[in-house]
C-alpha cells in the first residue's frame, strides 16, 4: 500500500485447476492448478455528506485496476530492496503427487516461462495438503516440475495375461508403473499411491453407469481394494489424467534435449513398430532392449517371445535371453536380427535365412523353417473385427508413451 499512494487497495486470489500457460514453457510442467494473486486498486468507499451518500462510479471496465507489485515505476532503489514479501498459501488437490521438496514458480509473462526468482521458505504439509511460501512479487503461481521428471524409461515389458488382455509394466525414473490394456481401453494398476486412486478406481456413480461415455469399469480380482471397481479409460484420456496428477508419460521430441544420449526415433519408424507390435501383443511377450538407445533414429529394436499359455517370465533374467527373438524396425520394413541382450555391441545381422519385409506379419509368414502349426499361428496374428479394438488400444498406448524413443 505504501507504494500505491492514493489508491484504495484490495487483494484478489483466484485458483483454477486449469493451467492457462500449458505448453508455453517446454521445459516445465505445472501441476495442481494455478493460483493468481493480484493487487487491485478498488473504487473509493462511499461517504456521507449532509445526508447524502456519495459514491464514485468508475468508467466501464475500470472498476478494478491491477497494480504491479512491487511497483517498479515509482519505487526508489532503497524502497525496491526493502519490498515486503507476501506469504501465500493454498490447498493442493488430493489427486496431485507432491514431492518432499516441491518447487513453486511464478509465471513471467514477458519471458513466457516459469521462474523461481524471489520465492523463498516453501513449506509443504502433506497431511493437510497445504503449501505455503513467501514471494517478493504478486503473479500467477504453481507447483512446477521438469516435463521430463519421469524420463527416461529404464525398461518396459508387455505380457498377455488373458485373451485380448495384456499387462504393461514400465520402470520409469520415479515409479514402477503397471497398466492393463484391453479392448475397452487402458487402466492403471500401480503404483498404489493414494493420489492415484481416483484414476485407478471408478467412483460409485461410474460403477453404476459402466456404459457412460468415456468411462468403463473392469472386473477386479483380489487386492486390498477388491471392493472398488477398476476404472478403464481410453489411452489418451487416462494418460492425460496422469499428467494432471504430476506423472507425465506423454513425452515429446523436445524432452530428449534434456536427457543424456537420447534421440527420438523417426516418426515413420515408430508408426511401423507400434502398428506391427500391437498385432502380436495378444500372443507374444514384448520387451524393450538396451541396444535400442544406441541405434540410429531410423532404427528401433525390441525383443519378443511367444507365450500362448500366458506364462510369466522375467525379461531381465539373463537365463531367459535366448528365449527372446530380436526384431528391428525401419521406416518401411522390419526383420528378425541376431541381437542378444547380454551381448554387446548390438548384432544387427539378419537372422539365418531371414529377409526384411514390409510388415512383421510377413516376417512370420516367410520364416525359413515353418513349424507344423504355421498356418494356425498366422491366422492368430490376423487383425479381425474381434481383435481390432484391442489392437488399436495397444497401438495408441505405445504411441502416446513413445516407448521406443525414451528407453
Amino acid at each position: 500500500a505504501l507504494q500505491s499512494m492514493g489508491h484504495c487497495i484490495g487483494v484478489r486470489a483466484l485458483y483454477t485447476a486449469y493451467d492457462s500457460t500449458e505448453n508455453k514453457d517446454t521445459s516445465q510442467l505445472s501441476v495442481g492448478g494455478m493460483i493468481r494473486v493480484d493487487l487491485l486498486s478498488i473504487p473509493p468507499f462511499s461517504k456521507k455528506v449532509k445526508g447524502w451518500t456519495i459514491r464514485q462510479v468508475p468508467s466501464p471496465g475500470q472498476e478494478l485496476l491491477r497494480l504491479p507489485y512491487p511497483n517498479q515505476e515509482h519505487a526508489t532503489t532503497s524502497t525496491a530492496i526493502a519490498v515486503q514479501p507476501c506469504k501465500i498459501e493454498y490447498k493442493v488437490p488430493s489427486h496431485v503427487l507432491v514431492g518432499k521438496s516441491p518447487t513453486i514458480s511464478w509465471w513471467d509473462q514477458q519471458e513466457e516461462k516459469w521462474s523461481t526468482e524471489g520465492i523463498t521458505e516453501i513449506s509443504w504439509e502433506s497431511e493437510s495438503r497445504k503449501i505455503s511460501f513467501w514471494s517478493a512479487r504478486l503473479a500467477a503461481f504453481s507447483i512446477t516440475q521438469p516435463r521430463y521428471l519421469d524420463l527416461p524409461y529404464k525398461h518396459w515389458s508387455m505380457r498377455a495375461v488373458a485373451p485380448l488382455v495384456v499387462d504393461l509394466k514400465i520402470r520409469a525414473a520415479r515409479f514402477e508403473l503397471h497398466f492393463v490394456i484391453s479392448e475397452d481401453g487402458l487402466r492403471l494398476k500401480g503404483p498404489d499411491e493414494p493420489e492415484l486412486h481416483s484414476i485407478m478406481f471408478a467412483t460409485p456413480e461410474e460403477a453404476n453407469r459402466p456404459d457412460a461415455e468415456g468411462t468403463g469399469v473392469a472386473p477386479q480380482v483380489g487386492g486390498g481394494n477388491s471392493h472398488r471397481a477398476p476404472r478403464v479409460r481410453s489411452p489418451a484420456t487416462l494418460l492425460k489424467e496422469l499428467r494432471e496428477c504430476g506423472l507425465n508419460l506423454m513425452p515429446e521430441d523436445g524432452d530428449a534435449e534434456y536427457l543424456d544420449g537420447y534421440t527420438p526415433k523417426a516418426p515413420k519408424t515408430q508408426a511401423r513398430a507400434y502398428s506391427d507390435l500391437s498385432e502380436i501383443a495378444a500372443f507374444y511377450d514384448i520387451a524393450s532392449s538396451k541396444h535400442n538407445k544406441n541405434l540410429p533414429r531410423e532404427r528401433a529394436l525390441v525383443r519378443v517371445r511367444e507365450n500362448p499359455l500366458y506364462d510369466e517370465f522375467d525379461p531381465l533374467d539373463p537365463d531367459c535371453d535366448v528365449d527372446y527373438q530380436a526384431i528391428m524396425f525401419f521406416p518401411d520394413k522390419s526383420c528378425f536380427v541376431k541381437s542378444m541382450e547380454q551381448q554387446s555391441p548390438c548384432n544387427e545381422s539378419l537372422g539365418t535365412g531371414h529377409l526384411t519385409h514390409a510388415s512383421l506379419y510377413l516376417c512370420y509368414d516367410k520364416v525359413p523353417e515353418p513349424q507344423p502349426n504355421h498356418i494356425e499361428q498366422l491366422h492368430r496374428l490376423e487383425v479381425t473385427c474381434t481383435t481390432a479394438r484391442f489392437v488399436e488400444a495397444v497401438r495408441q498406448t505405445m504411441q502416446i508413451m513413445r516407448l521406443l524413443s525414451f528407453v
Side-chain angles (χ1 to χ4, degrees), residues 143-202:
I143 300 174
T144 59
Q145 64 186 42
R147 277 186 50 89
Y148 49 90
L149 181 63
D150 292 290
L151 297 175
Y153 307 131
K154 295 182 179 179
H155 55 81
W156 57 266
S157 62
M158 191 179 298
R159 180 178 69 89
V161 294
L164 300 183
V165 179
V166 299
D167 271 1
L168 171 60
K169 295 182 179 180
I170 302 175
R171 185 64 180 95
R174 289 190 297 169
F175 298 102
E176 179 96 32
L177 295 129
H178 187 183
F179 296 92
V180 177
I181 311 174
S182 65
E183 60 181 346
D184 295 322
L186 180 69
R187 75 177 178 96
L188 178 67
K189 199 172 180 180
D192 189 12
E193 299 287 340
E195 293 86 347
L196 301 179
H197 283 182
S198 61
I199 295 179
M200 297 171 65
F201 305 107

Side-chain angles (χ1 to χ4, degrees), residues 347-359:
N347 187 349
E348 301 180 35
S349 304
L350 291 176
T352 303
H354 288 276
L355 300 173
T356 59
H357 295 281
S359 70

Side-chain angles (χ1 to χ4, degrees), residues 14-36:
L14 177 64
Y15 171 82
T16 58
Y18 173 72
D19 176 12
S20 59
T21 67
E22 187 176 6
N23 296 327
K24 290 185 178 180
D25 189 340
T26 57
S27 66
Q28 296 294 316
L29 179 71
S30 69
V31 296
M34 296 175 60
I35 182 168
R36 180 169 189 100

Side-chain angles (χ1 to χ4, degrees), residues 275-349:
S275 177
D276 283 350
L277 292 174
S278 63
E279 296 178 4
I280 70 169
F283 305 101
Y284 285 79
D285 293 351
I286 306 172
S288 60
S289 172
K290 68 177 184 180
H291 300 304
N292 178 69
K293 173 184 175 182
N294 300 319
L295 294 175
R297 66 188 305 267
E298 292 78 16
R299 299 203 289 271
L301 187 71
V302 298
R303 299 177 297 139
V304 301
R305 170 179 181 159
E306 188 175 10
N307 189 7
L309 301 179
Y310 312 128
D311 295 325
E312 184 172 3
F313 301 96
D314 182 4
L316 301 180
D317 187 351
D319 294 335
C320 295
D321 194 13
V322 294
D323 299 327
Y324 284 84
Q325 172 66 63
I327 302 176
M328 185 168 291
F329 292 95
F330 301 82
D332 56 352
K333 60 185 178 180
S334 58
C335 62
F336 295 111
V337 295
K338 296 180 179 180
S339 172
M340 300 292 289
E341 196 70 359
Q342 303 302 319
Q343 298 178 4
S344 295
C346 176
N347 187 349
E348 301 180 35
S349 304

